[in-house]
Amino acid sequence: MTSHKTTQTMKPATAAKKLGVYLEATPAEFQEGVVTRSELNALQAEPPQWLQELRRNGPHPRPVVASKLGVSIAGLARGGVTEALTTEQIDALKQENPEWLQKERTTQAEVRKEAVRIKEKQAEKAERRQSGS
């Protein structure tokens, strides 16, 4: 009995997410087809011009926008940003630095600090458990 290796494929939305690009801004042939694992790897290893352009100038999906602004995705929503933004729009927001963005950045910094504190506390407990046994 021989096993046939099936080609692993994914929907364009999944591939766009893995590539960190906004699906609606990708070429039609990308949006309409399926992407194999090897095609995805090739796109990541040697991005074509359209992919380089999207990554550089956008429009960027919300997770990328949130990361570039230093806030959470929920923070974007609270700030009223629900659409994909271009790099130019993100830079303009940073320059403008509205009150909601300042507040969300502060909140995000506190969340990160708390995550580090919890991780350190858990590491301490694990260390104590190991040295105690």
Side-chain angles (χ1 to χ4, degrees):
M1 194 195 259
T2 58
S3 64
H4 295 285
K5 189 173 184 183
T6 58
T7 304
Q8 187 179 14
T9 60
M10 61 192 83
K11 294 177 183 173
T14 304
K17 192 174 190 177
K18 289 180 181 286
L19 292 169
V21 294
Y22 187 57
L23 177 63
E24 284 77 9
T26 61
E29 60 270 12
F30 181 86
Q31 292 180 38
E32 293 162 4
V34 292
V35 181
T36 65
R37 173 65 62 190
S38 58
E39 288 170 338
L40 178 69
N41 291 340
L43 287 170
Q44 289 173 322
E46 293 182 34
Q49 188 62 42
W50 66 264
L51 183 53
Q52 292 175 28
E53 188 66 26
L54 271 180
R55 285 178 169 168
R56 187 176 21 250
N57 299 318
H60 304 286
R62 286 181 305 149
V64 174
V65 174
S67 175
K68 287 179 179 273
L69 290 173
V71 300
S72 66
I73 295 172
L76 280 181
R78 285 190 293 269
V81 178
T82 56
E83 302 292 315
L85 299 180
T86 63
T87 300
E88 192 176 298
Q89 291 170 312
I90 292 168
D91 291 342
L93 253 179
K94 285 179 180 176
Q95 286 294 317
E96 189 183 309
N97 201 17
E99 190 176 323
W100 72 264
L101 181 57
Q102 294 172 38
K103 182 178 177 226
E104 291 300 334
R105 281 181 166 169
T106 302
T107 300
Q108 191 67 9
E110 289 169 6
V111 166
R112 286 191 193 110
K113 269 190 232 168
E114 182 63 8
V116 168
R117 186 190 70 76
I118 290 169
K119 192 173 184 179
E120 287 171 352
K121 191 174 182 178
Q122 288 172 340
E124 262 178 44
K125 276 184 181 177
E127 200 176 291
R128 271 188 262 138
R129 248 185 274 127
Q130 273 188 333
S131 62
S133 52

